[in-house]
Amino acid sequence: MRKVLVVGAGQSGLQLALMLQENGYDVTVMSARTPEEIRAGRVMSTQAMFHTSLQHERDHGLNLWEAEAVRIEGLGVSVAGPDGGRVLDWFGRLDHYGQSVDQRVKMAGWAELFEQRGGKLLIHGVTTADLDSLAALYDLVVVAAGKGELVGLFDRVPERSPFTSPQRALSLAYVHGLAPRPEHPDSPGVRFNIAPGVGELFVIPAYTLSGNCDILFFEGIPGGPLDCWADQPGPDEHLRRLLDLVRQYIPWEYERCADVELTDARAALAGGYTPVVRHPVGELPSGGFVLGMADVVVANDPITGQGSNNAAKCAVSYLDSILERGEAPFDREWMTTTFERYWDYAQHVTQWTNALLGPPPEHVLRILGVAQANETVARRFVNGFDDPTDYQNWFMDPAKTADYLATV
């Protein structure tokens, strides 16, 4: 039985560990926190997972909260005009619903499931020195911890990483009491609100420790009015400030916020990080190699909501590569090939996400405008969040956009 060590207990690491366990591998997961500490901690992210990623979870019996979690039926786009009104406002339907489960709920539950199924869960922060001494005990070591010292094992790839600083100041709050959108009260959906020159507000239906909720998530252009979290306010001040920004820049969403309150005292978060692609193979001081996965090697800005989706798809791609390897060694060449197989998909997500971080070009504005009156265009744009590879066929290139819009 081949032995695999997974360092990190997030979406990608735990999903891979559970799937390998299902296939008869001897798997150990190292986590810095116990399930109880994860549940009691601060929210870690936003997430909106779409059909393909959710189906991977279903295929392996990991969809533990599907019956309880609110269904995301579509995605709406609104663009603010200079008078505070909306110059664009439309809603496109997903072919299959999405869902968002607070990672405190999911990761704690998956860690417990992993143990229940016979896996070894070690609670210990891992340094490079620790990993160096542990690696020889396993056939394969996968690093799925996207923060901390271990990320330093994986060098940045300049030709795949156009940014050297964060492109958005991020702030969010999980809330109860947000009123339904009057335009589609019975069809919850992600709302993508754009304030040109200022940033974006996403409103995401989600499921948290206390049941269904909504996530208010600002992406602020650095140095602008939404970049105001350096003082790290407490939760109540965080929510007050966030709502004031909603009132000022996205007033149509503020109308829904009269009864909003945080879901819990740790339901607010602010920060930012630089989008980056890293080399997938890390070399330990002893000469051993470890394989990076998901956010460790491809970290995109969350503006396109692809973080958890990428993690889920990376786990499935790595699983296939591991199973196909059989008893052959997991050497450096195999690790590089395994990552490039995943990158064949992830490069499209990265290109699309990086494009959305800049001012929208004329052909993209035309797409958003046509989508307001044409359900076919709106639906194609929205369903690209499930399969971002499709954007290469019509969204990313002005000539392809013109050709496509001429047909609809």
Side-chain angles (χ1 to χ4, degrees):
M1 184 184 297
R2 307 206 77 179
K3 297 179 67 176
V4 178
L5 173 64
V6 177
V7 181
Q11 174 78 39
S12 65
L14 280 171
Q15 183 175 334
L16 178 63
L18 285 156
M19 293 188 302
L20 286 171
Q21 184 183 56
E22 180 184 18
N23 282 276
Y25 286 71
D26 181 353
V27 187
T28 299
V29 172
M30 296 193 73
S31 170
R33 295 185 293 168
T34 66
E36 294 79 10
E37 288 169 338
I38 292 171
R39 287 194 185 94
R42 178 178 286 191
V43 291
M44 295 179 275
S45 68
T46 62
Q47 60 283 312
M49 297 189 69
F50 299 98
H51 172 69
T52 302
S53 301
L54 294 176
Q55 190 59 49
H56 290 319
E57 295 184 0
R58 296 181 191 112
D59 291 343
H60 298 277
L62 305 179
N63 58 326
L64 307 185
W65 304 274
E66 184 163 8
E68 293 84 5
V70 58
R71 296 184 175 188
I72 296 171
E73 303 287 354
L75 185 145
V77 175
S78 299
V79 179
D83 63 351
R86 285 170 280 182
V87 296
L88 277 179
D89 184 42
W90 53 265
F91 184 78
R93 299 277 175 176
L94 287 164
D95 292 340
H96 307 277
Y97 64 82
Q99 290 185 307
S100 171
V101 176
D102 184 342
Q103 291 199 352
R104 295 177 298 179
V105 174
K106 181 184 280 189
M107 300 318 146
W110 276 5
E112 290 169 343
L113 179 65
F114 176 70
E115 285 194 293
Q116 290 164 12
R117 292 180 176 178
K120 295 182 283 293
L121 179 66
L122 302 182
I123 309 303
H124 196 285
V126 184
T127 66
T128 301
D130 294 330
L131 204 57
D132 200 34
S133 61
L134 288 168
L137 304 176
Y138 298 89
D139 297 295
L140 173 64
V141 175
V142 180
V143 177
K147 300 176 182 177
E149 177 185 324
L150 296 184
V151 175
L153 290 169
F154 306 93
D155 294 332
R156 176 176 175 269
V157 181
E159 59 271 24
R160 292 176 173 177
S161 306
F163 304 116
T164 56
S165 62
Q167 297 301 293
R168 291 292 188 274
L170 311 175
S171 57
L172 64 94
Y174 283 57
V175 299
H176 288 311
L178 187 70
R181 285 283 299 197
E183 301 94 327
H184 46 87
D186 300 322
S187 299
V190 174
R191 297 298 307 193
F192 185 177
N193 301 284
I194 304 168
V198 176
E200 301 83 23
L201 170 69
F202 294 85
V203 184
I204 307 169
Y207 178 82
T208 188
L209 300 160
S210 51
N212 285 316
C213 66
D214 289 277
I215 304 171
L216 301 174
F217 172 42
F218 263 126
E219 290 234 349
I221 294 174
L226 305 183
D227 186 2
C228 59
W229 306 96
D231 60 336
Q232 300 180 331
D236 292 338
E237 170 59 19
H238 183 109
L239 180 60
R240 186 206 65 76
R241 191 179 303 178
L242 189 146
L243 290 176
D244 189 57
L245 293 168
V246 176
R247 177 189 58 77
Q248 188 171 356
Y249 295 103
I250 316 289
W252 57 89
E253 297 290 6
Y254 185 74
E255 295 168 5
R256 306 167 58 197
C257 293
D259 299 318
V260 157
E261 60 182 10
L262 289 172
T263 60
D264 61 87
R266 295 186 177 272
L269 185 67
Y273 58 87
T274 303
V276 65
V277 177
R278 299 185 178 94
H279 288 286
V281 183
E283 185 169 357
L284 297 169
S286 63
F289 299 114
V290 296
L291 174 64
M293 77 177 300
D295 281 357
V296 173
V297 286
V298 182
N300 292 321
D301 188 276
I303 194 169
T304 52
Q306 294 299 304
S308 292
N309 294 281
N310 272 1
K313 293 171 182 177
C314 184
V316 171
S317 179
Y318 278 24
L319 174 70
D320 291 343
S321 294
I322 292 169
L323 297 181
E324 291 167 9
R325 192 64 170 168
E327 295 300 317
F330 298 114
D331 55 21
R332 182 172 194 149
E333 181 180 358
W334 174 85
M335 290 181 181
T336 300
T337 301
T338 293
F339 170 75
E340 291 298 329
R341 180 179 187 174
Y342 167 60
W343 179 248
D344 283 345
Y345 166 80
Q347 63 179 317
H348 300 291
V349 181
T350 297
Q351 291 163 9
W352 169 53
T353 302
N354 288 346
L356 288 194
L357 291 170
E362 183 62 33
H363 74 281
V364 169
L365 293 175
R366 186 177 175 213
I367 289 170
L368 297 181
V370 171
Q372 182 164 253
N374 188 308
E375 183 181 352
T376 299
V377 177
R379 197 156 194 144
R380 185 170 187 181
F381 176 78
V382 167
N383 282 281
F385 281 74
D386 181 40
D387 179 17
T389 64
D390 183 50
Y391 290 120
Q392 297 291 335
N393 300 321
W394 71 288
F395 183 87
M396 297 293 292
D397 179 81
K400 291 180 180 179
T401 295
D403 290 344
Y404 169 66
L405 292 181
T407 69
V408 296

